[in-house]
Amino acid sequence: MLDERDRKILSLLQEDASLSVGDLAEKVSLSISACSRRIQRLEESGYVARRIAVLDRDKMGVPTTVFALIKTAHHADDWIDIFRRVIADIPEIVEAHRLTGNYDYILKVVLPRVEHYDVIYKQIVRKVELFDVSASISMEVLKSGMALPVEYAR
């Protein structure tokens, strides 16, 4: 069971995973050893899946975002396995979701420029059959982040 200090630690780690244990301990009013034990427990119990660095997309040369909405006529496990492997091998595809509704999948694709989307599209359709693909270019990011709400964690 998590308490408010655990939730605060999780929230702080989401903001900056490079915070030292000493800084975290000070912010949650714990000793360094008590804070360290809590962090270890949170990691061992799976609340912290991994610690990563978030890179600046402009500096990495991929400022453009395209969302590809995909319809397929295939829903068998073997087709899905092939589709998963195909998109896993394309680093520009940073997220993929299976959907309800009119489309089966949505891909979030980061690109150096919008014209590069055709390269990614061709990489996919050469290896897996799709029924329909509709792409939308993101004009403006209104909210972005990876932080999850911590108040629901048990």
Side-chain angles (χ1 to χ4, degrees), residues 70-76 79 104-105 129-132:
I70 296 172
K71 288 183 185 180
T72 180
H74 305 282
H75 299 283
W79 184 93
D104 297 305
Y105 300 92
E129 184 182 347
L130 303 176
F131 178 73
D132 183 45

Side-chain angles (χ1 to χ4, degrees), residues 23-76:
D23 288 340
L24 282 168
E26 185 178 322
K27 291 177 186 280
V28 296
S29 303
L30 285 172
S31 69
I32 291 174
S33 59
C35 186
S36 179
R37 284 192 301 273
R38 282 180 183 246
I39 293 168
Q40 183 176 4
R41 180 177 47 81
L42 291 167
E43 289 174 338
E44 289 172 355
S45 57
Y47 289 98
V48 178
R50 67 185 194 270
R51 297 189 196 193
I52 62 169
V54 178
L55 305 179
D56 182 282
R57 291 199 25 209
D58 286 331
K59 290 186 182 198
M60 297 309 297
V62 287
T64 304
T65 303
V66 172
F67 292 96
L69 291 157
I70 296 172
K71 288 183 185 180
T72 180
H74 305 282
H75 299 283

Side-chain angles (χ1 to χ4, degrees), residues 14-149:
Q14 285 191 111
E15 290 174 30
D16 185 357
S18 71
L19 282 173
S20 70
V21 176
D23 288 340
L24 282 168
E26 185 178 322
K27 291 177 186 280
V28 296
S29 303
L30 285 172
S31 69
I32 291 174
S33 59
C35 186
S36 179
R37 284 192 301 273
R38 282 180 183 246
I39 293 168
Q40 183 176 4
R41 180 177 47 81
L42 291 167
E43 289 174 338
E44 289 172 355
S45 57
Y47 289 98
V48 178
R50 67 185 194 270
R51 297 189 196 193
I52 62 169
V54 178
L55 305 179
D56 182 282
R57 291 199 25 209
D58 286 331
K59 290 186 182 198
M60 297 309 297
V62 287
T64 304
T65 303
V66 172
F67 292 96
L69 291 157
I70 296 172
K71 288 183 185 180
T72 180
H74 305 282
H75 299 283
D77 289 343
D78 59 337
W79 184 93
I80 295 170
D81 290 341
I82 292 167
F83 182 66
R84 284 179 199 262
R85 283 195 301 274
V86 168
I87 63 174
D89 289 341
I90 302 172
E92 291 88 349
I93 300 173
V94 295
E95 286 187 42
H97 300 265
R98 190 165 59 91
L99 304 174
T100 63
N102 294 330
Y103 288 93
D104 297 305
Y105 300 92
I106 186 169
L107 308 178
K108 180 179 179 183
V109 187
V110 297
L111 303 165
R113 59 193 181 288
V114 73
E115 294 82 6
H116 192 75
Y117 171 71
D118 191 49
V119 172
I120 304 305
Y121 172 81
K122 287 176 182 175
Q123 285 180 325
I124 297 169
V125 298
R126 280 186 197 123
K127 297 176 182 173
V128 66
E129 184 182 347
L130 303 176
F131 178 73
D132 183 45
V133 180
S134 176
S136 296
I137 302 164
S138 173
M139 299 297 290
E140 178 183 11
V141 176
L142 301 177
K143 181 178 180 181
S144 178
M146 296 178 55
L148 300 175

